Amino acid sequence: MKRTVIVTGSSKGIGAATAILFAQKGYNVVINYNDSYESANILCRSLVSNGYSVITQKANVANKMEVDIMVKETLYKFGSVDVLINNAGVALQGLITETDEIDFDKIMDVNLKGVFNCCKSVAPVMVNQKSGSIINISSMWGQVGASCEVAYSAAKAGVIGLTKALAKELAPSGINVNCIAPGLIETSMNQNLTVEELNSFVEGIPLGRMGSADEIAAAVYFLSSPDAEYITGQVLGINGGYVI
């Protein structure tokens, strides 16, 4: 039976690149989105037209009921959930004095609680299967913190802690839980940065360039593959040497 992957926040950027790669590798792919209906369906139609097994599923990962429905629909359609990729996220920049409680809660709800919700919904399925892989997308700012991104850094640090704890909890059931901490990746999430700001940032990266969404997707796929069966609870930094 074909393996099935859920990729949250996969209508664009890292999530879309990951969904495409898993489809090409023969997976049943669930493209999750919340607001980006058009982007998600354009991607889905493109993949289906090329013969791949792909569906879309709307769910706000911050809402546990919607996540539960997404997982149930996936099981109804494909019969299993073999890989969960928690990629959905939102960013926020600004001084802590300019960050209000509503902003902070939104960042935490999507970036951290969303990961918790998806893991909680999928865990019983994978425990029953005695197999599975969960890959959480954090950030290098979750490792070292970013000035003017207190809420984002805190949420992404939480994802790292959640990964390590859940890896220990699910290991006896044959489930791997790992984390990827991307650095500066060429996606729309950086569209708020000016060309000057981007160039200045790149100057501080030892490899001298931004990363690509495809490079993150390749690492995600590796961590879900049989080659990574003995890897769990780890944080893989993909940042061009910016954080060492």
Side-chain angles (χ1 to χ4, degrees), residues 2 55 90 102 151 198:
K2 292 178 69 170
I55 63 171
V90 291
I102 294 174
L198 284 172

Side-chain angles (χ1 to χ4, degrees), residues 69-90:
I69 292 171
M70 174 174 67
V71 173
K72 288 178 181 177
E73 288 293 326
T74 300
L75 291 172
Y76 176 77
K77 179 70 175 180
F78 297 125
S80 68
V81 180
D82 302 287
V83 180
L84 168 66
I85 301 163
N86 285 307
N87 169 75
V90 291

Side-chain angles (χ1 to χ4, degrees), residues 14 137-141 143 152 180-187 189-190 201 205 209-212 216 236-243:
I14 291 172
I137 307 299
S138 177
S139 166
M140 66 178 180
W141 300 135
Q143 297 175 294
Y152 183 80
I180 288 178
L184 183 64
I185 307 301
E186 198 166 359
T187 69
M189 189 170 279
N190 298 309
F201 201 126
I205 300 174
R209 65 174 178 85
M210 288 189 285
S212 72
I216 304 300
L236 177 58
I238 306 178
N239 54 58
Y242 192 87
V243 175

Side-chain angles (χ1 to χ4, degrees), residues 43-90:
L43 175 60
C44 181
R45 288 195 298 269
S46 173
L47 290 170
V48 168
S49 69
N50 283 291
Y52 299 121
S53 176
V54 183
I55 63 171
T56 59
Q57 183 65 48
K58 184 184 187 308
N60 175 2
V61 296
N63 185 310
K64 180 62 165 56
M65 184 179 296
E66 292 187 21
V67 171
D68 287 343
I69 292 171
M70 174 174 67
V71 173
K72 288 178 181 177
E73 288 293 326
T74 300
L75 291 172
Y76 176 77
K77 179 70 175 180
F78 297 125
S80 68
V81 180
D82 302 287
V83 180
L84 168 66
I85 301 163
N86 285 307
N87 169 75
V90 291

Side-chain angles (χ1 to χ4, degrees), residues 85-132:
I85 301 163
N86 285 307
N87 169 75
V90 291
L92 175 69
Q93 289 188 322
L95 298 170
I96 190 170
T97 52
E98 299 170 347
T99 303
D100 60 31
E101 187 176 1
I102 294 174
D103 292 330
F104 184 86
D105 287 347
K106 180 180 179 181
I107 293 294
M108 287 294 172
D109 282 350
V110 176
N111 294 0
L112 182 54
K113 183 182 175 184
V115 174
F116 170 82
N117 285 341
C118 292
C119 289
K120 185 173 181 178
S121 288
V122 162
V125 178
M126 291 185 173
V127 169
N128 185 60
Q129 296 170 175
K130 295 297 181 184
S131 67

Side-chain angles (χ1 to χ4, degrees), residues 4 32 58 141 146 153 159 164 168 177 182 228 233 238:
T4 300
N32 160 255
K58 184 184 187 308
W141 300 135
S153 298
V159 170
K164 292 176 179 290
K168 293 179 179 179
V177 186
I238 306 178

